[in-house]
Structure formats: C-alpha cells, structure tokens
Amino acid sequence: MNCGECGHLLHGDLLRDLHAEAVEASNRGEASEELRLWRASLDLLPPGTQQHSAIKARVDALSEAIDKGEAAEGGEGPGNWVKKGSPAAGAALLLLWKFKTVALLALTKGKLLLFGLTKLSTLSSMLVSFGAYWALYGWMFGLGLVLSIYVHEMGHVWALRQLGFAASAPMFIPLMGAVVRLYQRPSSPREDARIGLGGPIWGTVGAAATFALYYASGKAVIGTVAHFAAWINLLNLIPVWQLDGSRAFAALARPQRVMALVAIGVCFAAGREGLLVALAAAAGFRLFTKDCPPQGDAKTLYHYCGLVAALAAMTAIPFPDAPPR
C-alpha cells in the first residue's frame, strides 16, 4: 500500500527483495519457490493497483504451468492417456501416475513427510491424540490411526507447497482428526481442488502401504488400521461442507458432476460399500446447486473418480476382525 503522507509504496525494499529472489528461483528452475515468493509479494500490495494486477497475472500463469508440468513430467503425461482412452481408464492411469509421484517424493524428499514432526505444536498435539486413541482402542491401532491422519494432512501440505502457499504444519484435534491452517486463499477453484485432493491422494497411498504391511505381517490390527484409513479418506470425499470432496466438486462443471455421480454408482454396484451412498446423495444434491463453474477442470474429475474407485476397492478387502458395518 502507499504511504498517506509521501505517496511512496510501503514495503518497497521488501518487495524488491522478493522480486529479486523470485527471479533467481525462476533462473534455477524452482517454480514452486518462485510462486511462493510472488504470492508473498501479493500480500504486500493493495488489490486494484497496477503492481498487484501484474503479479497476480504472473501467479495465475505460473500456477497453471506447475499444474500442467506435473501432468507432463517424465515424458508423455497421463493427460494424453486420458484423451486416448476411456474416462474410467484415464482415471485409473492418472491415479497410478499420481501414486508414482507421491512414492518418488517419499523416496527422494522424505524430509517433507517428517516436516510436521519437527514442529512442537504438531508433535505435542499428535501425542495427545495418540493417548486418546490408545485409551479407547489400544496402542497399536491408536498409533496407526494417528500416522494415517498425519500422512493425509501432509498431503495437503505437499499440495500447498507445490502451489507456493504459506501454511502451517498439521495440528491434531483429539478424537476429531487434524487440520492445516492456510494463510493465503487459493485464487481459483482449480487450486482449491488440488489442495483439497492432496490429502486423499497421500492418504490413499498410505492406506495401500498399510494393507501391504498387513499382508506381510499377518497382524489383524494392521489390517484394521488399513481398512479404517481407506474408509476415512473415502469419507473425506463426500462433497459437502468443508470436506475435501466439496472442494473438488467446486471445480467441476455440471456435466462433470454427473460423471462423478455415475462413477460413484459404478463403484457401489461393484463393491456395495455403504459409505458410497452418502457420496452419491451429496453428489446428486450438488448437481442442483448454483456453484457450478461454466468450464470445469478435467484433472480434478479424474483425480476424484480415481480416488473413489481405489478407496472403495480397498474398503472391500476382507480380513479378520474388520470393523463392523
């Protein structure tokens, strides 16, 4: 903003520093870091000014470029596979591609997964939640549940960092889950959908890994954790309130919402997972709301349908001592 007395731009030195750092990040090819610096600059500028408009345009363009870069990374991206195949095959291929991305991230940048554990607020609230779950369900299930929630929340943190947003580490709320505080608002439904589905994407990978551990160990309690992790991530895909599924649906046009509803119905017919009835009811309601964008985001649709299919399949896996339906 401008000084009322001299008319000079306040935070001018800081803005120049941010600009210089953003240019350096661009030269290094660090798009997410560049985007973070431009977003920090926007926070210091009043809307409607020429500087704000110029940087906002850069932020929007860079955000879209990062999004498309993820799809094209490593050669022919899943977006091309989707165009060549059916929507169902495209959803499965796109989800597998995203799983590969998350797996590679865990191997090459595992420090992000440990990021929250270095924060006192996260670690202390996690221990309190662990104690509550331990008292109710035993230490092994309590530990598995807390770790499953943590992985889900770190998926949101990962998506936020990819798009250059400032956000907190996860904060656990005993017996209710955890939250990540967002300090900057997404500029489009597409960005909000990426952030919202980041949690279920990581959570689905975590649930699959827990199922693998169950089969390797044969411990029924690990199978129960895996089943619950899949179920809770599927619950988050209900498109209502502040759940992740609602943020995804906000980026879908009405025809895409119809396709999502059909995908949910197909998954229910295949596995009879009762939670899918709630997803279908909420998705049907969202067909008639007025928040449908004129042009929806296809990537969000494929992510959403792929997640529903993968999680519904995991909740149908039989094992001893499964939670009652």
Side-chain angles (χ1 to χ4, degrees):
M1 63 182 62
N2 293 324
C3 175
E5 296 181 359
C6 64
H8 289 169
L9 187 68
L10 296 179
H11 310 298
D13 291 339
L14 179 55
L15 285 166
R16 282 189 289 272
D17 290 342
L18 288 170
H19 179 273
E21 292 176 21
V23 171
E24 291 177 3
S26 177
N27 293 335
R28 295 193 304 267
E30 299 176 358
S32 294
E33 175 64 9
E34 180 190 356
L35 184 53
R36 183 190 69 81
L37 293 164
W38 287 130
R39 289 193 195 278
S41 298
L42 276 183
D43 292 341
L44 303 176
L45 292 167
T49 61
Q50 184 177 358
Q51 297 96 327
H52 186 281
S53 299
I55 294 179
K56 179 65 166 57
R58 175 59 179 164
V59 165
D60 292 341
L62 191 55
S63 174
E64 292 186 14
I66 289 174
D67 204 24
K68 294 177 181 178
E70 289 179 357
E73 185 178 356
E76 184 180 21
N80 292 329
W81 303 339
V82 170
K83 293 176 183 178
K84 295 177 181 178
S86 67
L93 286 169
L94 191 59
L95 190 63
L96 288 173
W97 183 273
K98 186 60 69 174
F99 281 4
K100 169 197 167 188
T101 301
V102 174
L104 287 175
L105 183 69
L107 291 173
T108 60
K109 298 184 178 179
K111 62 182 181 180
L112 176 60
L113 193 59
L114 300 177
F115 164 71
L117 301 180
T118 66
K119 304 298 181 181
L120 181 60
S121 59
T122 299
L123 188 58
S124 59
S125 62
M126 178 186 287
L127 290 175
V128 172
S129 289
F130 171 53
Y133 293 127
W134 184 351
L136 290 174
Y137 308 114
W139 76 268
M140 188 173 290
F141 182 83
L143 178 61
L145 181 56
V146 165
L147 291 177
S148 297
I149 295 171
Y150 176 75
V151 169
H152 175 102
E153 294 301 323
M154 287 308 297
H156 292 309
V157 174
W158 168 72
L160 287 163
R161 287 195 167 193
Q162 287 288 103
L163 293 173
F165 284 100
S168 70
M171 173 71 73
F172 279 76
I173 305 173
L175 304 180
M176 295 184 65
V179 296
V180 172
R181 294 191 300 274
L182 180 61
Y183 300 131
Q184 297 164 311
R185 294 180 62 84
S187 61
S188 68
R190 173 188 60 81
E191 286 188 340
D192 199 28
R194 295 292 180 275
I195 296 167
L197 292 183
I201 288 171
W202 276 53
T204 300
V205 175
T210 308
F211 269 115
L213 181 60
Y214 160 66
Y215 284 115
S217 66
K219 291 185 177 295
V221 65
I222 298 179
T224 303
V225 170
H227 185 281
F228 189 81
W231 188 87
I232 201 68
N233 278 281
L234 186 60
L235 175 69
N236 267 280
L237 292 178
I238 300 177
V240 295
W241 193 47
Q242 297 296 317
L243 295 181
D244 300 329
S246 181
R247 299 166 74 178
F249 258 62
L252 300 181
R254 187 164 281 109
Q256 292 173 325
R257 296 184 182 190
V258 172
M259 295 175 66
L261 178 58
V262 171
I264 294 168
V266 170
C267 290
F268 176 76
R272 299 294 177 180
E273 167 56 52
L275 186 56
L276 292 171
V277 176
L279 268 78
F285 174 77
R286 292 294 291 271
L287 293 179
F288 304 100
T289 56
K290 298 180 179 180
D291 62 341
C292 297
Q295 290 187 339
D297 181 65
K299 191 173 180 179
T300 297
L301 174 65
Y302 297 130
H303 278 182
Y304 184 85
C305 293
L307 286 166
V308 169
L311 291 168
M314 280 190 270
T315 60
I317 296 175
F319 59 89
D321 299 327
R325 296 294 182 127

